[in-house]
PDB file of all heavy atoms in Angstrom:
ATOM      1  N   ALA A  20     -57.408 115.496  91.291  1.00 95.00           N
ATOM      2  CA  ALA A  20     -56.041 115.330  90.794  1.00 95.00           C
ATOM      3  C   ALA A  20     -55.055 115.556  91.925  1.00 95.00           C
ATOM      4  O   ALA A  20     -55.305 116.350  92.835  1.00 95.00           O
ATOM      5  CB  ALA A  20     -55.773 116.299  89.654  1.00 95.00           C
ATOM      6  N   ALA A  21     -53.946 114.849  91.864  1.00 96.00           N
ATOM      7  CA  ALA A  21     -52.887 114.987  92.859  1.00 96.00           C
ATOM      8  C   ALA A  21     -51.653 115.563  92.190  1.00 96.00           C
ATOM      9  O   ALA A  21     -51.242 115.100  91.126  1.00 96.00           O
ATOM     10  CB  ALA A  21     -52.563 113.633  93.497  1.00 96.00           C
ATOM     11  N   ILE A  22     -51.077 116.566  92.813  1.00 97.00           N
ATOM     12  CA  ILE A  22     -49.901 117.243  92.274  1.00 97.00           C
ATOM     13  C   ILE A  22     -48.693 116.914  93.140  1.00 97.00           C
ATOM     14  O   ILE A  22     -48.722 117.085  94.361  1.00 97.00           O
ATOM     15  CB  ILE A  22     -50.118 118.766  92.219  1.00 97.00           C
ATOM     16  CG1 ILE A  22     -51.248 119.095  91.258  1.00 97.00           C
ATOM     17  CG2 ILE A  22     -48.843 119.493  91.823  1.00 97.00           C
ATOM     18  CD1 ILE A  22     -51.627 120.555  91.221  1.00 97.00           C
ATOM     19  N   ARG A  23     -47.642 116.443  92.505  1.00 97.00           N
ATOM     20  CA  ARG A  23     -46.393 116.135  93.210  1.00 97.00           C
ATOM     21  C   ARG A  23     -45.479 117.347  93.120  1.00 97.00           C
ATOM     22  O   ARG A  23     -45.172 117.819  92.024  1.00 97.00           O
ATOM     23  CB  ARG A  23     -45.733 114.900  92.593  1.00 97.00           C
ATOM     24  CG  ARG A  23     -46.594 113.632  92.696  1.00 97.00           C
ATOM     25  CD  ARG A  23     -46.140 112.550  91.745  1.00 97.00           C
ATOM     26  NE  ARG A  23     -46.299 112.945  90.347  1.00 97.00           N
ATOM     27  CZ  ARG A  23     -46.088 112.140  89.315  1.00 97.00           C
ATOM     28  NH1 ARG A  23     -45.699 110.899  89.515  1.00 97.00           N
ATOM     29  NH2 ARG A  23     -46.258 112.568  88.066  1.00 97.00           N
ATOM     30  N   ILE A  24     -45.037 117.845  94.281  1.00 98.00           N
ATOM     31  CA  ILE A  24     -44.220 119.055  94.328  1.00 98.00           C
ATOM     32  C   ILE A  24     -42.882 118.778  94.995  1.00 98.00           C
ATOM     33  O   ILE A  24     -42.825 118.159  96.057  1.00 98.00           O
ATOM     34  CB  ILE A  24     -44.969 120.208  95.045  1.00 98.00           C
ATOM     35  CG1 ILE A  24     -44.078 121.447  95.137  1.00 98.00           C
ATOM     36  CG2 ILE A  24     -45.477 119.800  96.414  1.00 98.00           C
ATOM     37  CD1 ILE A  24     -44.822 122.692  95.588  1.00 98.00           C
ATOM     38  N   ALA A  25     -41.817 119.215  94.354  1.00 97.00           N
ATOM     39  CA  ALA A  25     -40.475 119.104  94.939  1.00 97.00           C
ATOM     40  C   ALA A  25     -40.225 120.321  95.811  1.00 97.00           C
ATOM     41  O   ALA A  25     -40.412 121.465  95.371  1.00 97.00           O
ATOM     42  CB  ALA A  25     -39.425 119.014  93.850  1.00 97.00           C
ATOM     43  N   ASN A  26     -39.815 120.079  97.055  1.00 96.00           N
ATOM     44  CA  ASN A  26     -39.619 121.172  98.001  1.00 96.00           C
ATOM     45  C   ASN A  26     -38.632 120.738  99.077  1.00 96.00           C
ATOM     46  O   ASN A  26     -38.856 119.737  99.758  1.00 96.00           O
ATOM     47  CB  ASN A  26     -40.959 121.566  98.641  1.00 96.00           C
ATOM     48  CG  ASN A  26     -40.790 122.602  99.735  1.00 96.00           C
ATOM     49  OD1 ASN A  26     -39.998 123.520  99.601  1.00 96.00           O
ATOM     50  ND2 ASN A  26     -41.533 122.444 100.814  1.00 96.00           N
ATOM     51  N   ASP A  27     -37.526 121.465  99.206  1.00 91.00           N
ATOM     52  CA  ASP A  27     -36.489 121.142 100.185  1.00 91.00           C
ATOM     53  C   ASP A  27     -36.828 121.572 101.601  1.00 91.00           C
ATOM     54  O   ASP A  27     -36.258 121.062 102.559  1.00 91.00           O
ATOM     55  CB  ASP A  27     -35.174 121.859  99.806  1.00 91.00           C
ATOM     56  CG  ASP A  27     -34.262 120.994  98.981  1.00 91.00           C
ATOM     57  OD1 ASP A  27     -34.656 119.860  98.647  1.00 91.00           O
ATOM     58  OD2 ASP A  27     -33.153 121.451  98.659  1.00 91.00           O
ATOM     59  N   TYR A  28     -37.746 122.537 101.729  1.00 93.00           N
ATOM     60  CA  TYR A  28     -37.842 123.286 102.975  1.00 93.00           C
ATOM     61  C   TYR A  28     -39.006 122.831 103.851  1.00 93.00           C
ATOM     62  O   TYR A  28     -40.133 122.689 103.380  1.00 93.00           O
ATOM     63  CB  TYR A  28     -37.979 124.780 102.663  1.00 93.00           C
ATOM     64  CG  TYR A  28     -36.890 125.264 101.732  1.00 93.00           C
ATOM     65  CD1 TYR A  28     -37.175 125.588 100.402  1.00 93.00           C
ATOM     66  CD2 TYR A  28     -35.579 125.362 102.159  1.00 93.00           C
ATOM     67  CE1 TYR A  28     -36.181 126.010  99.533  1.00 93.00           C
ATOM     68  CE2 TYR A  28     -34.571 125.787 101.302  1.00 93.00           C
ATOM     69  CZ  TYR A  28     -34.876 126.107  99.997  1.00 93.00           C
ATOM     70  OH  TYR A  28     -33.884 126.515  99.140  1.00 93.00           O
ATOM     71  N   GLY A  29     -38.710 122.655 105.128  1.00 91.00           N
ATOM     72  CA  GLY A  29     -39.720 122.232 106.087  1.00 91.00           C
ATOM     73  C   GLY A  29     -40.700 123.347 106.403  1.00 91.00           C
ATOM     74  O   GLY A  29     -40.451 124.523 106.105  1.00 91.00           O
ATOM     75  N   PRO A  30     -41.835 123.012 107.031  1.00 92.00           N
ATOM     76  CA  PRO A  30     -42.899 123.992 107.270  1.00 92.00           C
ATOM     77  C   PRO A  30     -42.531 125.113 108.237  1.00 92.00           C
ATOM     78  O   PRO A  30     -43.215 126.131 108.290  1.00 92.00           O
ATOM     79  CB  PRO A  30     -44.047 123.138 107.833  1.00 92.00           C
ATOM     80  CG  PRO A  30     -43.388 121.903 108.362  1.00 92.00           C
ATOM     81  CD  PRO A  30     -42.207 121.663 107.478  1.00 92.00           C
ATOM     82  N   THR A  31     -41.436 124.951 109.009  1.00 92.00           N
ATOM     83  CA  THR A  31     -41.028 126.016 109.923  1.00 92.00           C
ATOM     84  C   THR A  31     -40.166 127.073 109.236  1.00 92.00           C
ATOM     85  O   THR A  31     -39.875 128.110 109.824  1.00 92.00           O
ATOM     86  CB  THR A  31     -40.253 125.442 111.124  1.00 92.00           C
ATOM     87  OG1 THR A  31     -39.121 124.695 110.643  1.00 92.00           O
ATOM     88  CG2 THR A  31     -41.143 124.535 111.954  1.00 92.00           C
ATOM     89  N   THR A  32     -39.740 126.817 108.003  1.00 94.00           N
ATOM     90  CA  THR A  32     -38.990 127.816 107.253  1.00 94.00           C
ATOM     91  C   THR A  32     -39.958 128.749 106.528  1.00 94.00           C
ATOM     92  O   THR A  32     -41.144 128.435 106.366  1.00 94.00           O
ATOM     93  CB  THR A  32     -38.070 127.161 106.213  1.00 94.00           C
ATOM     94  OG1 THR A  32     -38.885 126.494 105.222  1.00 94.00           O
ATOM     95  CG2 THR A  32     -37.128 126.151 106.865  1.00 94.00           C
ATOM     96  N   LEU A  33     -39.440 129.896 106.092  1.00 95.00           N
ATOM     97  CA  LEU A  33     -40.281 130.847 105.363  1.00 95.00           C
ATOM     98  C   LEU A  33     -40.892 130.199 104.127  1.00 95.00           C
ATOM     99  O   LEU A  33     -42.112 130.249 103.926  1.00 95.00           O
ATOM    100  CB  LEU A  33     -39.444 132.075 104.966  1.00 95.00           C
ATOM    101  CG  LEU A  33     -40.141 133.082 104.047  1.00 95.00           C
ATOM    102  CD1 LEU A  33     -41.317 133.738 104.749  1.00 95.00           C
ATOM    103  CD2 LEU A  33     -39.138 134.141 103.559  1.00 95.00           C
ATOM    104  N   MET A  34     -40.066 129.575 103.276  1.00 96.00           N
ATOM    105  CA  MET A  34     -40.568 129.013 102.028  1.00 96.00           C
ATOM    106  C   MET A  34     -41.410 127.767 102.266  1.00 96.00           C
ATOM    107  O   MET A  34     -42.432 127.560 101.610  1.00 96.00           O
ATOM    108  CB  MET A  34     -39.408 128.685 101.085  1.00 96.00           C
ATOM    109  CG  MET A  34     -38.620 129.900 100.647  1.00 96.00           C
ATOM    110  SD  MET A  34     -39.653 131.186  99.896  1.00 96.00           S
ATOM    111  CE  MET A  34     -38.524 132.577  99.984  1.00 96.00           C
ATOM    112  N   GLY A  35     -40.977 126.933 103.199  1.00 95.00           N
ATOM    113  CA  GLY A  35     -41.771 125.745 103.501  1.00 95.00           C
ATOM    114  C   GLY A  35     -43.144 126.095 104.030  1.00 95.00           C
ATOM    115  O   GLY A  35     -44.151 125.466 103.678  1.00 95.00           O
ATOM    116  N   GLY A  36     -43.207 127.130 104.877  1.00 96.00           N
ATOM    117  CA  GLY A  36     -44.494 127.578 105.405  1.00 96.00           C
ATOM    118  C   GLY A  36     -45.395 128.128 104.316  1.00 96.00           C
ATOM    119  O   GLY A  36     -46.615 127.899 104.324  1.00 96.00           O
ATOM    120  N   LEU A  37     -44.804 128.868 103.369  1.00 97.00           N
ATOM    121  CA  LEU A  37     -45.590 129.415 102.266  1.00 97.00           C
ATOM    122  C   LEU A  37     -46.152 128.304 101.377  1.00 97.00           C
ATOM    123  O   LEU A  37     -47.308 128.375 100.937  1.00 97.00           O
ATOM    124  CB  LEU A  37     -44.740 130.366 101.427  1.00 97.00           C
ATOM    125  CG  LEU A  37     -44.444 131.736 102.038  1.00 97.00           C
ATOM    126  CD1 LEU A  37     -43.411 132.477 101.195  1.00 97.00           C
ATOM    127  CD2 LEU A  37     -45.716 132.562 102.172  1.00 97.00           C
ATOM    128  N   ILE A  38     -45.335 127.299 101.108  1.00 97.00           N
ATOM    129  CA  ILE A  38     -45.806 126.178 100.293  1.00 97.00           C
ATOM    130  C   ILE A  38     -46.945 125.453 100.990  1.00 97.00           C
ATOM    131  O   ILE A  38     -47.954 125.077 100.362  1.00 97.00           O
ATOM    132  CB  ILE A  38     -44.654 125.200  99.977  1.00 97.00           C
ATOM    133  CG1 ILE A  38     -43.667 125.844  99.013  1.00 97.00           C
ATOM    134  CG2 ILE A  38     -45.183 123.889  99.393  1.00 97.00           C
ATOM    135  CD1 ILE A  38     -44.252 126.194  97.658  1.00 97.00           C
ATOM    136  N   GLU A  39     -46.818 125.257 102.286  1.00 97.00           N
ATOM    137  CA  GLU A  39     -47.884 124.587 103.040  1.00 97.00           C
ATOM    138  C   GLU A  39     -49.174 125.395 102.981  1.00 97.00           C
ATOM    139  O   GLU A  39     -50.268 124.851 102.784  1.00 97.00           O
ATOM    140  CB  GLU A  39     -47.441 124.375 104.487  1.00 97.00           C
ATOM    141  CG  GLU A  39     -48.417 123.574 105.332  1.00 97.00           C
ATOM    142  CD  GLU A  39     -48.643 122.168 104.807  1.00 97.00           C
ATOM    143  OE1 GLU A  39     -47.721 121.590 104.178  1.00 97.00           O
ATOM    144  OE2 GLU A  39     -49.752 121.633 104.995  1.00 97.00           O
ATOM    145  N   GLU A  40     -49.047 126.714 103.155  1.00 97.00           N
ATOM    146  CA  GLU A  40     -50.234 127.570 103.094  1.00 97.00           C
ATOM    147  C   GLU A  40     -50.820 127.578 101.687  1.00 97.00           C
ATOM    148  O   GLU A  40     -52.050 127.583 101.513  1.00 97.00           O
ATOM    149  CB  GLU A  40     -49.867 128.994 103.529  1.00 97.00           C
ATOM    150  CG  GLU A  40     -51.073 129.897 103.700  1.00 97.00           C
ATOM    151  CD  GLU A  40     -50.759 131.169 104.468  1.00 97.00           C
ATOM    152  OE1 GLU A  40     -49.646 131.302 104.996  1.00 97.00           O
ATOM    153  OE2 GLU A  40     -51.658 132.037 104.539  1.00 97.00           O
ATOM    154  N   TYR A  41     -49.981 127.578 100.689  1.00 98.00           N
ATOM    155  CA  TYR A  41     -50.441 127.522  99.298  1.00 98.00           C
ATOM    156  C   TYR A  41     -51.243 126.247  99.054  1.00 98.00           C
ATOM    157  O   TYR A  41     -52.345 126.277  98.486  1.00 98.00           O
ATOM    158  CB  TYR A  41     -49.230 127.587  98.358  1.00 98.00           C
ATOM    159  CG  TYR A  41     -49.576 127.521  96.896  1.00 98.00           C
ATOM    160  CD1 TYR A  41     -50.213 128.582  96.264  1.00 98.00           C
ATOM    161  CD2 TYR A  41     -49.253 126.399  96.130  1.00 98.00           C
ATOM    162  CE1 TYR A  41     -50.527 128.534  94.914  1.00 98.00           C
ATOM    163  CE2 TYR A  41     -49.560 126.343  94.778  1.00 98.00           C
ATOM    164  CZ  TYR A  41     -50.201 127.413  94.177  1.00 98.00           C
ATOM    165  OH  TYR A  41     -50.518 127.358  92.840  1.00 98.00           O
TER     166      TYR A  41
END
Side-chain angles (χ1 to χ4, degrees):
I22 296 175
R23 298 163 296 186
I24 178 169
N26 174 40
D27 266 3
Y28 308 108
T31 57
T32 65
L33 173 65
M34 296 305 164
L37 286 171
I38 290 297
E39 185 61 29
E40 189 165 352
Y41 179 70

